[in-house]
């Protein structure tokens, strides 16, 4: 078997992508105010902005769309989805939602009181925002190894159990409505969480009488990491591993736009009967009737099949290899990344790559701009542009530990030769990196500035 085996699928439908010239990209980037979110997608050659909702569906999923039952209540497609969710996630109840953040929104608004705190390895931004929106405080308790990009800990998404116990003792159980863990840990480099850690976190919060929810977006990638890296799981199937992970929890939030291989969809699962009743009522207000919850019948069909395909072992093995291929090739040419490669993305350490650009001149944004100018590639800055904020009392700018650029890999979309092109583009940038200057922000909104801020090159 080669180290990086080929794609376990062949291409039946193609979508052309456009090459542009350097001169065109310079003009387009200038017109987009040096913010890659403001570019038109059709002007991008390889789009690595996100792995969310960008998967290619299979022939089976496309065929399933025709079988969507669009009945308002009790649609056949709902029961097909229910069967798969019960088989894989094993919780007593679920409600479908239009995407992950809607599931988070319902969970947070039903359980969090102002002044509460929620522990997690790292809250993703929508999860943290939903906790804050109802007066709660998101608290990140990932292990310290996660903060060192070169540390090759096999489960860098783990929660630090010592920190968790201290957090519970200091905060008081009455102020912690639930605990969470994000698998894989997107905000921490797409790193997996071990089965031992999921179980230990579940046992600890349960010992204190606190419910435990899993942010399950990339649960299948987490399961195959466990199979490959954790003793005792080599002979288990991804399905068996998934069932065991979820047995440690009381429910989960899911963005089906990731490991369920669909372009839209999500759900919220729980065992608690009373919580389910309240969630159903909240769903009716915000999303729709409980058997469709903000989705069309055809979306439910595609999702039911995507859940099955997303757990296929050949696919998952390829998926991790595909991402690792990009990461290992970048390391070979001296580009620093968060190691080891994550499941859905490679996170380039832009601060380490462009050490002459200080954090206040946004090395991650400078690199994201260069990726587009050099190769028509779109990536996202996850550093001071996205995460720095002024301390509410001193006004001092609090910066994230690392200035990163994420190369997220849509599922079943790009081939290995596309990844080679990404590596070659970064090699060309590396060859002239000392001449790359920083950027400044010339206009920014109050919240989530990375989406709409405008920049200027500093030369
Ligand atoms: C992403 F820049 N992720 O990684 P929804 N939990 C986790 C996620 O990764 C996640 C959600 C919940 C995205 C999309 C995205 O500011 C941004 O279905 C671990 O997108 O509602 C989504 O799931 C939310 C990117 C979302 C962003 C918000 O690219």
């Amino acid at each position: 078997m080669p180290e990086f085996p080929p794609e376990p699928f062949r291409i039946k439908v193609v979508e052309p992508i456009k090459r542009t010239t350097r001169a065109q990209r310079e003009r387009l980037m200038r017109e987009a105010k040096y913010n890659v979110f403001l570019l038109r997608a059709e002007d991008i050659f390889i789009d690595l902005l996100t792995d969310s909702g960008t998967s290619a569906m299979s022939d089976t999923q496309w065929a399933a769309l025709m079988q969507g039952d669009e009945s308002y209540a009790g649609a056949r497609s709902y029961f097909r989805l229910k069967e798969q969710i019960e088989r894989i996630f094993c919780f007593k109840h679920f409600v479908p939602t239009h995407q992950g953040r809607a599931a988070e929104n319902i969970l947070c608004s039903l359980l969090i009181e102002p002044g509460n705190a929620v522990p997690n390895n790292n809250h993703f931004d929508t999860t943290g925002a939903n906790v804050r929106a109802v007066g709660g405080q998101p608290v990140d308790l990932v292990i310290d190894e996660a903060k060192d990009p070169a540390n090759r800990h096999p489960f860098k998404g783990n929660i630090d159990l010592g920190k968790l116990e201290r957090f519970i003792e200091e905060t008081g159980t009455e102020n912690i409505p639930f605990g969470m863990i994000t698998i894989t840990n997107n905000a921490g480099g797409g790193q997996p969480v071990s089965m031992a850690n999921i179980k230990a976190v579940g046992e600890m919060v349960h010992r204190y009488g606190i419910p435990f929810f899993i942010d399950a977006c990339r649960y299948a990638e987490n399961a195959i990491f466990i199979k490959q890296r954790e003793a005792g799981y080599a002979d288990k199937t991804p399905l068996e591993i998934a069932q065991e992970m979820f047995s440690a929890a009381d429910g989960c939030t899911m963005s089906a736009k990731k490991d369920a291989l669909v372009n839209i969809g999500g759900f919220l699962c729980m065992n608690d009967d009373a919580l389910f009743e309240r969630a159903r009522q909240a769903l009716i207000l915000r999303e729709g009737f409980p058997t469709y919850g903000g989705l069309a019948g055809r979306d439910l069909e595609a999702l039911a099949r995507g859940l099955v395909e997303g757990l296929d072992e050949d696919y998952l093995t390829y998926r991790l290899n595909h991402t690792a291929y990009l990461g290992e090739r970048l390391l070979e040419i001296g580009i620093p990344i968060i190691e080891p490669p994550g499941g859905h993305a490679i996170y380039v350490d832009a601060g380490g790559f462009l050490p002459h650009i200080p954090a206040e001149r946004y090395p991650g944004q400078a690199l994201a701009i260069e990726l587009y100018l050099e190769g028509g590639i779109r990536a996202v800055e996850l550093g001071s542009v996205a995460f720095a904020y002024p301390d509410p009392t001193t006004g001092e700018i609090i910066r994230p530990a690392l200035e990163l650029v994420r190369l997220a890999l849509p599922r079943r979309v790009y081939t290995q030769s596309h990844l080679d092109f990404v590596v070659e583009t970064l090699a060309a940038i590396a060859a002239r990196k000392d001449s790359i200057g920083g950027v400044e922000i010339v206009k920014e909104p109050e919240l989530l500035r990375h989406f709409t801020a405008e920049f200027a090159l500093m030369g």
Side-chain angles (χ1 to χ4, degrees):
M1 198 66 163
E3 190 187 356
F4 296 104
E7 287 79 9
F9 49 81
R10 58 185 177 181
I11 296 165
K12 189 178 243 175
V13 175
V14 296
E15 184 182 6
I17 48 177
K18 193 168 78 181
R19 297 297 304 266
T20 45
T21 62
R22 169 97 198 190
Q24 285 170 326
R25 291 193 294 276
E26 280 174 3
R27 175 178 56 77
L28 292 163
M29 194 75 262
R30 200 169 45 245
E31 286 169 7
K33 315 288 185 198
Y34 298 99
N35 183 339
V36 296
F37 282 97
L38 304 180
L39 289 165
R40 281 177 179 238
E42 65 183 5
D43 294 328
I44 288 156
F45 183 51
I46 297 184
D47 200 348
L48 307 183
L49 190 66
T50 180
D51 66 318
S52 180
T54 52
S55 298
M57 293 209 295
S58 66
D59 51 355
T60 313
Q61 285 178 291
W62 281 106
L65 294 185
M66 279 308 292
Q67 296 177 339
D69 176 353
E70 305 301 343
S71 306
Y72 190 91
R76 183 184 57 236
S77 305
Y78 165 79
F79 291 101
R80 286 210 175 129
L81 174 61
K82 184 171 190 287
E83 193 186 318
Q84 294 308 332
I85 293 181
E86 284 174 353
R87 188 174 70 95
I88 298 166
F89 296 82
C90 306
F91 296 113
K92 213 165 147 196
H93 307 291
F94 86 100
V95 289
T97 58
H98 78 278
Q99 60 185 84
R101 68 196 71 183
E104 293 163 4
N105 184 273
I106 292 173
L107 182 71
C108 291
S109 62
L110 293 180
L111 294 184
I112 297 176
E113 302 285 341
N116 285 174
V118 176
N120 203 328
N121 40 4
N122 285 113
H123 286 81
F124 184 64
D125 69 353
T126 56
T127 327
N130 271 303
V131 171
R132 282 200 192 89
V134 287
Q137 193 199 347
V139 178
D140 291 345
L141 302 174
V142 73
I143 55 172
D144 288 339
E145 286 86 338
K147 291 164 194 161
D148 171 8
N151 189 313
R152 285 212 162 219
H153 190 292
F155 291 104
K156 249 172 144 174
N158 284 357
I159 282 185
D160 184 322
L161 296 168
K163 285 188 206 167
L164 178 62
E165 185 136 43
R166 266 195 310 283
F167 162 80
I168 298 173
E169 292 288 348
E170 284 164 14
T171 311
T173 54
E174 68 285 6
N175 297 315
I176 308 172
F178 58 91
M180 276 196 111
I181 201 159
T182 308
I183 61 172
T184 58
N185 189 21
N186 187 7
Q191 300 292 324
V193 180
S194 70
M195 183 72 83
N197 193 256
I198 294 173
K199 287 186 175 170
V201 170
E203 278 161 23
M204 185 179 291
V205 296
H206 285 152
R207 186 148 44 78
Y208 285 94
I210 300 167
F212 178 41
F213 283 79
I214 295 179
D215 177 339
C217 305
R218 299 178 180 87
Y219 79 97
E221 289 169 7
N222 202 85
I224 194 81
F225 271 123
I226 288 176
K227 182 176 170 97
Q228 292 179 358
R229 295 185 184 171
E230 194 163 351
Y233 290 93
D235 296 328
K236 297 222 155 110
T237 63
L239 172 65
E240 288 165 339
I241 297 171
Q243 291 167 335
E244 192 173 328
M245 294 190 303
F246 293 117
S247 71
D250 303 294
C252 73
T253 55
M254 175 76 185
S255 168
K257 298 171 74 171
K258 285 85 171 171
D259 276 358
L261 298 170
V262 285
N263 305 118
I264 195 72
F267 48 88
L268 168 64
C269 297
M270 73 285 285
N271 285 331
D272 187 290
D273 297 337
L275 179 63
F276 176 55
E277 269 319 308
R278 294 173 66 213
R280 281 202 327 164
Q281 296 313 315
L283 194 80
I284 289 169
L285 271 180
R286 290 174 215 178
E287 295 279 292
F289 189 74
T291 61
Y292 72 85
L295 293 169
R298 54 181 170 273
D299 297 328
L300 304 174
E301 285 287 343
L303 171 48
R305 282 164 179 73
L307 282 170
V308 177
E309 292 176 17
L311 267 180
D312 180 82
E313 191 162 335
D314 282 348
Y315 156 71
L316 283 170
T317 306
Y318 144 77
R319 170 74 175 159
L320 293 197
N321 276 325
H322 188 67
T323 310
Y325 175 81
L326 176 60
E328 300 299 352
R329 285 218 50 204
L330 290 179
L331 286 169
E332 268 167 34
I333 62 163
I335 310 275
I337 63 166
I338 293 192
E339 297 180 54
H344 68 293
I346 294 301
Y347 295 66
V348 177
D349 176 6
F353 178 60
L354 300 171
H356 58 286
I357 306 181
E360 57 275 17
R361 292 196 179 178
Y362 308 111
Q365 189 64 21
L367 180 56
I369 293 167
E370 286 299 325
L371 275 163
Y372 183 70
L373 294 178
E374 181 69 37
I377 296 165
R378 178 157 69 170
V380 65
E381 192 265 10
L382 293 175
S384 283
V385 175
F387 300 127
Y389 62 95
D391 184 287
T393 43
T394 63
E396 188 199 341
I397 302 293
I398 316 269
R399 293 184 187 282
L402 298 170
E403 299 292 332
L404 301 172
V405 169
R406 185 182 75 171
L407 306 168
L409 298 174
R411 293 168 182 77
R412 308 190 291 203
V413 170
Y414 294 117
T415 61
Q416 201 155 302
S417 58
H418 288 114
L419 300 188
D420 288 337
F421 181 84
V422 175
V423 176
E424 285 156 23
T425 302
L426 270 155
I429 296 171
R432 55 175 177 74
K433 67 179 190 158
D434 295 339
S435 67
I436 298 171
V439 300
E440 61 179 332
I441 295 181
V442 292
K443 193 171 161 198
E444 61 180 302
E446 216 170 292
L447 283 174
L448 291 171
R449 66 178 175 181
H450 57 295
F451 292 126
T452 54
E454 297 179 5
F455 300 87
L457 301 183
M458 293 184 80

